Amino acid sequence: MHIIDDMIGRMTLEEKAGQLSMFPAALAPAPANAANPASVSGSTQEQAERVRQGLVGAVFNASDAGWHRRMQEIAVQESRLGIPLLFAGDVIHGFHTVFPVPLAEAASFDPDLAERTARAAAVEATGAGLAWNFAPMVDIARDARWGRGVEGAGEDVLLGGLLAAARVRGFQGTEGLGHPQAMLATPKHFAAYGAALGGLDYNSVDISERTLREVYFPPFQSAIEAGAASTMAAFNDLNGVPAHADPWLLGDVLRGEWGFDGVVVSDFTGDLELVAHGYAASPREAARLAFLAGVDISMASGLYVDHLPDLVRSGEIAAATLDRSVGRVLRLKERLGLFDDPFGRLRSTVDQRDDKPAHRALAREAARRSVVLLKNDGVLPLSKSGQRIALIGPFGQGPAHLHGPWVLFARPDHAVSIADGMREALGVAADLSVVAGCGTEAPIPDGIEQAVAAAREADVIVLVVGEGEDMSGEAQSRVTIDIPGPQRMLAEAIAAVGKPVVTILKSGRALVLEGAIARSEAILAAWFLGTETGTALADILFGDHGPSGRLPVSFPQSSGQSPYHYDHRSTGRPTETHQPGEQFKARYREALNRAAYPFGHGLTYGDVVYEDLDLGTCTLPWSGSIEVGAVIRNRGEREATELVQLYIRDRAASITRPVRQLKAFRHVTLAPGASERIAFQLRREDLLFLGRDLGWTVEPGLFDLWIAPSSETGLHGTFELLPD
């Protein structure tokens, strides 16, 4: 008999329920407690006693290696069966070293970078004993009002899937889950959490199965194919059935169609919330519904410890069904090496200092490559000498608002502010004045007057505005996605001085840009860049490195356009001329049906042009391929790294198709005056869509194709998919 089966045979019902129960750590740091609703974990002594009794299988969001060691000693040496604890945490975009928020990192369009930052985060976190990570978030997010888009990869399915797989590989490593620096990844939230109605967090989701399978499922499938052995249920109800109690979602699709044999964990009290949904009449019924639907582990609510034993004794849950979930959890602990060496991650030889030079260097690279240059009228890059610079705005100095949301284990004072980064780049001759001007959402006394005075003495103004880090993330939905009023007033006053303005946007979402901010001579989307914020931005501002990021989300013209995504379908009355006054077309009275800054957009310090589109014979054989390409030329005087994007559209199909879909992309770095032909291979399999029967298909016919610098521009041609 296998050791797991033998262990299950010796367990009481209460011990089995304990293995399926996870609780917040009694010794969690303050940021971890603030990141979730208030919960009662008890004192450290009380939690230790529950571990001793076998009523706790996992704890999460502690970072004290000594406390982890003591709890593990109690579990393996003082509990009846000696089953080790599983220590977990929310390590969303860094542990001690903080990398750009995932949405920012998505702007790099580089899965390798995402894998490397996830690996570094796992190395640091496992050194404190954490073996399980509640990341990556792989929800497609198309409504900028939804605050949790900051945790994901944006609006595109292809990019979302590539980054989901990369982050799983990074967290888990390549040497097996039993390696002491492997951290189990948890793609979340299953499923369609990013489609919450009105962009309101936790809200209902009402979408077709077609949209689920074409848009929201693929990143999860990519993550599971990359080796993820756990996933987390979503807070939302899906077409009337809460995801925590949806046997079709967790059973038929996840385990049946996809063959997933890992563990499903609830989100924080998500099982108990079935009562508030109006789906369960009581906590006991909620426990039954969630468990039978396929949720293996209950997080934070205590429902399983409280109710599973009685549900089995009453016959409402079969003993074999309970044993199956317990077996999944124990086998996962076995895969993580916890039975062989419960203290393996606590004996890591990794340096546990807060500062790791290699990781900080990686954080600087990632931050630099996350910055998107939206606009530049020639003011950038700035000169390091002979230029007086005024750094104005509420985010210019100090440690606040650098990391972004979901940072639980870092020290804010170890991050480099924008002011410090600029001073370091400028050196001893720095001619930099720094003025806040206003707060994030409120004015400050004489703030605008002081800012205007500094602007008058400067040759160029760097204006840092946008969202505070507490304005995006969980439970931070916004009715309007503009920049707060006091900051807009500051921008207008600064613009009136008449000096060139470089605007740096800090945010966890796409923003609507209006007035003086939109008119700035240069605009950089800088998101929340983490530990090396100041150094990375100085690298870009002064031209030591050119900007290479591209938008992973569309910036709409108005909040009223949300949700907006580039790969929308056409209508029977599409806008064609994009001119004001166009009547009886799919457009708002006040805005054209297009983005202010589209998905994929981003400028360089070069002058890049696309030339000589080549589609070969313009035909794609049914069982063959077609090579398409274009010449990318840098006419500028500076090196440029361009993201070359390939889009297609199925001109006519049995199911209406998006106006464009990203199918591939490649980076190319060009010296001044250099050019390179970039080629892509397309096969019939790249053109598949869900047919009327929800099976994957494709039909012969004409396809539009673009090789482009964004989703709304580029070289256009057509090719034909030939019949079999």
Side-chain angles (χ1 to χ4, degrees):
M1 179 180 292
H2 189 274
I3 183 174
I4 300 298
D5 296 327
D6 176 67
M7 189 173 294
I8 292 173
R10 294 187 290 121
M11 295 172 74
T12 66
L13 288 177
E14 286 71 21
E15 289 169 331
K16 292 175 181 178
Q19 285 303 304
L20 304 184
S21 299
M22 168 185 285
F23 296 95
L27 203 65
N33 291 327
N36 287 298
S39 61
V40 179
S41 300
S43 67
T44 55
Q45 293 82 5
E46 291 170 328
Q47 194 163 68
E49 181 56 31
R50 291 179 65 81
V51 171
R52 192 174 286 113
Q53 295 172 6
L55 301 180
V56 179
V59 295
F60 65 99
N61 279 348
S63 60
D64 187 304
W67 183 79
H68 279 152
R69 174 174 291 279
R70 177 56 187 145
M71 292 291 282
Q72 195 69 292
E73 287 172 348
I74 293 170
V76 300
Q77 297 171 10
E78 301 179 30
S79 71
R80 187 175 76 89
L81 295 175
I83 300 174
L85 284 172
L86 179 51
F87 299 116
D90 288 288
V91 185
I92 308 302
H93 55 109
F95 191 68
H96 292 317
T97 307
V98 181
F99 300 99
V101 291
L103 182 63
E105 191 179 70
S108 73
F109 277 70
D110 188 349
D112 175 71
L113 179 65
E115 183 172 344
R116 287 187 288 135
T117 59
R119 182 88 294 268
V123 165
E124 292 185 5
T126 53
L130 300 183
W132 189 5
N133 191 9
F134 301 135
M137 193 195 86
V138 302
D139 299 312
I140 297 295
R142 295 180 159 181
D143 193 329
R145 295 172 297 178
W146 187 57
R148 297 201 75 170
V150 69
E151 298 176 50
E155 68 186 54
D156 183 67
V157 177
L158 173 67
L159 183 62
L162 291 172
L163 293 178
R167 288 168 175 154
V168 168
R169 292 192 300 268
F171 289 132
Q172 297 189 168
T174 59
E175 300 181 66
L177 288 178
H179 191 275
Q181 292 178 352
M183 195 177 192
L184 176 67
T186 308
K188 62 182 187 183
H189 308 79
F190 195 63
Y193 187 28
L197 290 172
L200 181 63
D201 209 356
Y202 317 122
N203 205 5
S204 298
V205 172
D206 196 346
I207 56 177
S208 69
E209 184 176 346
R210 178 181 308 284
T211 301
L212 279 173
R213 292 185 179 276
E214 283 196 330
V215 176
Y216 294 95
F217 282 176
F220 286 94
Q221 293 173 280
S222 296
I224 290 168
E225 289 169 3
S230 70
T231 191
M232 179 181 286
F235 280 125
N236 54 278
D237 70 69
L238 180 59
N239 300 329
V241 180
H244 276 74
D246 191 336
W248 174 78
L249 187 65
L250 302 179
D252 296 352
V253 175
L254 181 65
R255 297 204 184 277
E257 294 180 24
W258 300 355
F260 179 72
D261 62 356
V263 167
V264 177
V265 61
S266 80
D267 208 336
F268 197 101
T269 67
D271 48 0
L272 177 60
E273 291 166 23
L274 295 175
V275 178
H277 273 290
Y279 196 77
S282 66
R284 185 179 186 276
E285 185 180 12
R288 179 180 66 84
L289 291 170
F291 183 76
L292 291 177
V295 175
D296 296 301
I297 295 178
S298 170
M299 179 192 290
S301 70
L303 283 194
Y304 283 10
V305 165
D306 292 344
H307 299 294
L308 280 185
D310 182 61
L311 286 166
V312 173
R313 291 188 181 103
S314 69
E316 294 169 82
I317 291 176
T321 305
L322 176 65
D323 289 352
R324 185 171 58 197
S325 281
V326 174
R328 289 190 191 115
V329 172
L330 295 182
R331 281 189 292 275
L332 181 61
K333 291 185 175 185
E334 183 180 46
R335 288 185 63 191
L336 288 165
L338 296 176
F339 285 107
D340 292 335
D341 189 355
F343 304 97
R345 289 170 179 79
L346 294 166
R347 280 200 296 269
S348 172
T349 59
V350 176
D351 182 359
Q352 281 302 299
R353 294 177 304 170
D354 286 347
D355 291 303
K356 298 174 178 61
H359 289 181
R360 289 195 73 120
L362 177 60
R364 184 170 181 171
E365 176 195 350
R368 197 164 55 224
R369 296 181 59 195
S370 299
V371 175
V372 183
L373 180 59
L374 300 180
K375 176 184 178 183
N376 186 18
D377 288 347
V379 66
L380 289 178
L382 301 177
S383 171
K384 290 185 181 180
S385 62
Q387 195 173 47
R388 296 169 299 173
I389 303 172
L391 176 62
I392 296 174
F395 309 115
Q397 59 185 342
H401 307 292
L402 300 175
H403 285 155
W406 276 115
V407 175
L408 309 185
F409 308 109
R411 289 182 55 182
D413 59 350
H414 282 216
V416 181
S417 71
I418 298 174
D420 287 344
M422 292 179 68
R423 289 192 184 104
E424 179 184 323
L426 289 167
V428 294
D431 194 346
L432 178 72
S433 59
V434 183
V435 180
C438 67
T440 304
E441 297 183 86
I444 58 177
D446 300 321
I448 288 182
E449 290 79 359
Q450 294 170 12
V452 167
R456 286 175 176 154
E457 295 298 319
D459 298 310
V460 64
I461 299 152
V462 176
L463 178 66
V464 189
V465 293
E467 297 183 313
E469 61 187 1
D470 59 348
M471 292 177 67
S472 59
E474 184 170 355
Q476 297 302 323
S477 297
R478 296 186 63 192
V479 173
T480 58
I481 53 173
D482 55 4
I483 291 170
Q487 296 184 57
R488 298 201 306 273
M489 291 177 63
L490 173 65
E492 296 294 340
I494 294 302
V497 174
K499 303 293 180 68
V501 177
V502 176
T503 295
I504 296 176
L505 302 173
K506 296 189 68 63
S507 73
R509 51 165 57 85
L511 293 174
V512 169
L513 308 180
E514 298 174 320
I517 293 171
R519 295 192 303 270
S520 300
E521 280 73 16
I523 304 174
L524 291 163
W527 323 99
F528 297 106
L529 297 178
T531 299
E532 292 291 327
T533 293
T535 51
L537 280 172
D539 287 342
I540 298 296
L541 287 171
F542 297 110
D544 294 325
H545 292 266
S548 61
R550 299 295 186 270
L551 289 181
V553 286
S554 303
F555 274 45
Q557 300 174 64
S558 168
S559 296
Q561 279 186 292
S562 298
Y564 183 90
H565 53 96
Y566 83 92
D567 54 342
H568 56 83
R569 289 180 168 86
S570 181
T571 71
R573 294 186 175 185
T575 54
E576 295 172 351
T577 64
H578 297 294
Q579 296 298 317
E582 194 175 17
Q583 294 295 314
F584 305 107
K585 297 291 186 180
R587 52 159 298 177
Y588 298 101
R589 293 184 71 248
E590 302 87 352
L592 299 173
N593 191 19
R594 61 191 308 176
Y597 291 106
F599 173 89
H601 171 74
L603 305 176
T604 72
Y605 287 157
D607 179 11
V608 177
V609 294
Y610 287 56
E611 303 171 331
D612 300 329
L613 179 67
D614 180 9
L615 275 61
T617 63
C618 297
T619 57
L620 171 56
W622 188 260
S623 299
S625 65
I626 181 175
E627 181 175 286
V628 299
V631 174
I632 314 302
R633 186 181 308 278
N634 180 10
R635 302 183 303 189
E637 298 178 355
R638 288 180 172 270
E639 180 180 88
T641 297
E642 180 72 4
L643 182 75
V644 185
Q645 303 157 47
L646 174 66
Y647 295 90
I648 65 102
R649 178 186 182 181
D650 194 339
R651 183 75 67 84
S654 56
I655 296 293
T656 58
R657 307 304 305 133
V659 295
R660 287 201 197 189
Q661 283 186 295
L662 182 67
K663 289 298 177 180
F665 54 84
R666 278 185 56 189
H667 291 92
V668 58
T669 299
L670 300 171
S675 64
E676 185 172 334
R677 183 179 184 273
I678 301 299
F680 299 95
Q681 295 284 333
L682 273 175
R683 304 180 64 86
R684 171 174 52 88
E685 290 77 9
D686 298 314
L687 311 178
L688 295 173
F689 66 93
L690 281 180
R692 292 182 180 178
D693 62 354
L694 296 183
W696 291 99
T697 187
V698 66
E699 299 155 355
L702 199 63
F703 287 76
D704 292 293
L705 177 144
W706 294 264
I707 294 181
S710 81
S711 58
E712 289 188 359
T713 57
L715 302 177
H716 172 249
T718 60
F719 68 91
E720 183 180 7
L721 174 63
L722 301 177
D724 190 7

